[in-house]
Amino acid sequence: MSQLALIKYQALGNDYLVLDLPAPLAEVIELLPRICDRNFGLGSDGLLAFDRHAMSVRIFNPDRSEAQKSGNGLRITAAHAVFEHRLGDRFELRTADRANAVRVLSQHGAEVVTELDIGRPSFRAADLPATFDGEPEAVTLETPAGTVEAVLVSVGNPHCVVFGQEVTKGRCLELGPHLENHPAFPERTNVQLCEVIDRARARVEIWERGAGYTLASGTSASAVAAACMRRGLVDADVTVIMPGGNLAVRREAKGNLVQSGPARRVYRATVDLADFA
């Protein structure tokens, strides 16, 4: 075990610890449930392992599982790249599925606002994956907490956007665990309860795969925007309102989704991994 330098960032209340590679990543992942614990550890929604030379980031949840993608995680990594590695106004960050274009819009103190190309959403069930055929307009899912209607979306990771339910933290806590682990999703899924306010705004509550209830999620905001656009409920520019704050999402002519929002540095820490063993 060894000492480790970590920096904590938050994006609309969705918080991550950032670790620069090379580092003893396997040891850190093993200890993540304790490190991320909000009462007995540092407290976070996960870990971002950044490789400056490859310009790539790996995203780990508090339960040790690895996520394919995180919009807030990418914007946090972008802020880290600007603060710690002096990157310029435009660069790319690679995740498991693709290279993601980043444009820095502004920097004020400990906060960086960036624009991020999330890519083109897919409604193919196989891309999540989910046990349905083709590109269903909507699916019906039975859970112990009730029956729901949902739109399936992949934006590099899986999402189940639920319509017609009460959009509250309480209802999200009831449905989230059942939907995340529903048999229809062999690799689990992220869950959003969605309410369309008007053609420019939608409100959501979020249950994140591997992390649980969360205040904000960049890929969730993109998935919600995609689902609402597919249903013709909103225009090509929409603000997604989450408990932690708002994200602007727009659809470009080629179909890619671009989101813009802030990320802020919170603190630096040097921890001894032996303390979490």
Side-chain angles (χ1 to χ4, degrees), residues 98-207:
R98 69 194 291 267
N100 304 272
V102 175
R103 182 164 71 99
V104 178
L105 301 179
S106 65
Q107 178 181 346
H108 301 288
E111 183 173 278
V112 174
V113 178
T114 54
E115 183 178 80
L116 173 66
D117 186 336
I118 289 290
R120 187 170 185 168
S122 171
F123 303 101
R124 290 182 66 245
D127 288 342
L128 276 81
T131 59
F132 298 93
D133 295 325
E135 300 182 1
E137 292 291 331
V139 299
T140 300
L141 299 165
E142 302 285 345
T143 82
T147 302
V148 303
E149 180 186 88
V151 174
L152 307 180
V153 187
S154 172
V155 289
N157 59 351
H159 295 270
C160 172
V161 183
V162 177
F163 291 88
Q165 294 289 317
E166 187 179 12
V167 181
T168 63
K169 178 180 179 179
R171 188 58 174 149
C172 190
L173 291 172
E174 290 173 351
L175 283 170
H178 297 300
L179 291 171
E180 177 192 358
N181 297 286
H182 195 282
F185 306 109
E187 297 179 12
R188 299 187 295 167
T189 188
N190 299 285
V191 180
Q192 303 85 28
L193 307 187
C194 174
E195 174 191 20
V196 175
I197 299 172
D198 54 38
R199 295 201 63 81
R201 295 178 299 163
R203 189 169 67 87
V204 299
E205 291 280 352
I206 301 162
W207 180 271

Side-chain angles (χ1 to χ4, degrees), residues 20-36:
D20 277 318
L21 299 177
L25 186 56
E27 296 177 22
V28 177
I29 293 169
E30 181 62 28
L31 296 171
L32 272 185
R34 296 180 187 179
I35 292 173
C36 294

Side-chain angles (χ1 to χ4, degrees), residues 66-84:
E66 185 168 1
Q68 297 106 317
K69 201 166 190 176
S70 165
N72 283 339
L74 279 165
R75 294 201 327 281
I76 284 172
T77 304
H80 179 75
V82 170
F83 285 136
E84 302 299 317

Side-chain angles (χ1 to χ4, degrees), residues 48-67:
L48 304 172
F50 178 55
D51 186 330
R52 166 65 179 89
H53 298 291
M55 286 302 292
S56 65
V57 59
R58 295 178 66 185
I59 305 148
F60 296 93
N61 297 311
D63 68 354
R64 303 188 185 97
S65 62
E66 185 168 1

